[in-house]
Amino acid sequence: MPLRFSDNVLLAMPQRRRVLAGLAAGLALGSTGAAPALAAPHDYPAKPITIVVPFPAGGASDILARLIGQKLSERWKQSVVVENRPGASGNIGAAHVARSRPDGYTLAFMDLTTLAISPSFTKLSYTPTKDLAPVSMVTFSPHLLVVRKDLPVNNVGELLAYAKEHPGRLSFGATPGTITQLAGVLLAQKAGISWTYIGYKGGAQVTTDLVGGHIDVIMNSVLGTYALVDSQQVKMLAVASAKPFYMYPGTPTIAQTIPDFVTGTWQGLLAPAGTPKAIVQQLHDEVALILKEPDVMARLRELGCEPLNETPEHFGQWLREQTVYWAGVIKENNVKAD
C-alpha cells in the first residue's frame, strides 16, 4: 500500500518506488556527527523557542510558521520566535538548524524543495535525512495547473494535445531547482510531451509573466495563484491533488487524466538530529492539537492548505522516499537547476 497522509494527499510516485527496500514503517531518521542526544527535561520548554524559516518573510512557510508559533506560545505560555534566515534556496537556514544544539529550542519550518529536492542539485553542508529530526508534517497544498487566459485550451486533455501538435512551442515558467519546475518536468515525462522551460528567480515574477502572456503554462501553489484564478487573469485547468480540492470542487484533477499524479508543497516542522524523542513527541502532539483548533483550520482553508497529522516516524519515511523519488526524476530527465 502506498504511504498516505490523507485521502487527498497520495504520494506522487510510481508503485515500484512507493515502498523503498529496507525501510521499515517505524524507522526514524538517524544522525551522523550530530551532538549526543540530551535527556528530555521535565520543564520543557523552560525558555524561548526559535523556529527558523529559511525563506524571506511573507511566503507560505513564514505564514504557517508564525501561525503555529503563535499557538505554541499561547499553549505553553512561553515565547516562540520566528526567525527568517533566507538564502541558497532555503539551505542556509536549514544548515543552521542542523548544526544547532539538539535540545528542542531551535526548530525549522521547511518545505519539500529544501528537504527532498535540493540535495540532488546542490552540495549541502548537511544531509536532511540524517541531520534533521522530523517532528510534524503540518500541511499540504496542491499545485494548480494554470495557463495564460488566451491559450486555446480548456482542460488537461486539450493542453496535452496542443503540446503534442506543437512540440517545444509551449513555454513553462518556474524557479529552477524547485518543486514547481519538477512538477512540469514530471507532467511532461508522464504525458510524453515537451515544452520550453523559462527560469525565474522567484514565483512572483513567474505569475506576473503568465498574466502578461509572456509564458504559457505554470504549476504553482494555491497561495501564490488563487487570486489570479479568482479574478480570471489566468485560466486554471486542473488541480494536482489526488481528489477534487475543497477550494475548487468543480475543477478536475490532473490525476483524472494521468493516474496517481500528485504534486504540491508539503510543509513540516523539524528539529536537529539527536533531539530527545520525548521532546520531538511533545512538539508533535502539541502541533496535532493546534491543527484541530477551529480558527487554525479556518485559516489553513483560506491559505489553500490541508492540515496533516502524521507521526515523526512516518514523516521520516516520507522524507527518505521523496528524496529518492525526485532524484530519479531529475536524473531520468537530465534536469539542471539553472
Side-chain angles (χ1 to χ4, degrees), residues 183-269:
V185 170
L186 186 64
L187 180 58
Q189 179 185 26
K190 287 183 172 292
I193 62 172
S194 64
W195 36 40
T196 300
Y197 295 93
I198 308 298
Y200 293 85
K201 291 184 178 180
Q205 189 59 47
V206 176
T207 54
T208 297
D209 273 14
L210 184 70
V211 172
H214 304 299
I215 54 177
D216 300 310
V217 187
I218 68 170
M219 291 185 69
N220 202 27
S221 68
V222 175
L223 181 62
T225 315
Y226 78 88
L228 302 178
V229 171
D230 293 351
S231 61
Q232 299 184 345
Q233 296 182 67
V234 297
K235 190 188 307 182
M236 179 172 61
L237 303 185
V239 182
S241 51
K243 294 183 178 180
F245 194 57
Y246 65 84
M247 288 185 71
Y248 301 103
T251 300
T253 65
I254 298 175
Q256 291 174 252
T257 302
I258 302 176
D260 291 343
F261 190 97
V262 176
T263 62
T265 299
W266 284 261
Q267 303 274 0
L269 185 69

Side-chain angles (χ1 to χ4, degrees), residues 46-170:
K47 62 181 181 179
I49 294 172
T50 297
I51 300 178
V52 174
V53 175
F55 306 105
S61 295
D62 181 68
I63 293 171
L64 292 168
R66 292 180 189 279
L67 177 62
I68 298 300
Q70 177 185 342
K71 288 295 183 176
L72 284 174
S73 180
E74 292 172 1
R75 294 179 68 87
W76 281 341
K77 309 302 180 186
Q78 182 61 262
S79 176
V80 178
V81 178
V82 174
E83 178 183 339
N84 298 95
R85 282 181 173 253
S89 298
N91 291 301
I92 290 178
H96 169 76
V97 174
R99 293 191 298 265
S100 296
R101 183 175 174 82
D103 56 6
Y105 290 98
T106 303
L107 309 172
F109 203 93
M110 298 167 60
D111 65 5
L112 173 65
T113 292
T114 306
L115 286 171
I117 293 174
S118 288
S120 291
F121 287 122
T122 307
K123 185 175 182 180
L124 304 176
S125 61
Y126 73 105
T127 302
T129 55
K130 294 181 179 179
D131 299 326
L132 293 169
V135 173
S136 180
M137 181 67 79
V138 179
T139 64
F140 167 71
S141 183
H143 286 137
L144 303 182
L145 176 60
V146 184
V147 301
R148 58 181 170 85
K149 63 181 181 180
D150 58 345
L151 192 69
V153 300
N154 295 296
N155 54 55
V156 176
E158 291 181 1
L159 175 66
L160 300 184
Y162 187 93
K164 289 178 180 178
E165 293 171 3
H166 307 86
R169 185 179 300 180
L170 287 176

Side-chain angles (χ1 to χ4, degrees), residues 120-121 175-178 181-182 185 197 330 333-338:
S120 291
F121 287 122
T175 302
T178 68
Q181 178 195 25
L182 294 184
V185 170
Y197 295 93
I330 291 165
N333 293 277
N334 193 30
V335 182
K336 306 296 181 183
D338 51 30

Side-chain angles (χ1 to χ4, degrees), residues 283-325:
L283 282 164
H284 171 270
D285 293 347
E286 290 292 337
V287 172
L289 292 173
I290 288 169
L291 293 175
K292 294 178 181 179
E293 294 186 18
D295 60 328
V296 173
M297 294 175 66
R299 180 58 174 149
L300 292 179
R301 289 183 69 85
E302 290 175 358
L303 296 171
C305 297
E306 179 179 352
L308 304 174
N309 182 24
E310 286 297 317
T311 65
E313 290 77 17
H314 283 173
F315 187 2
Q317 179 181 338
W318 174 89
L319 177 54
R320 288 175 181 251
E321 291 180 346
Q322 289 286 287
T323 301
V324 172
Y325 176 69

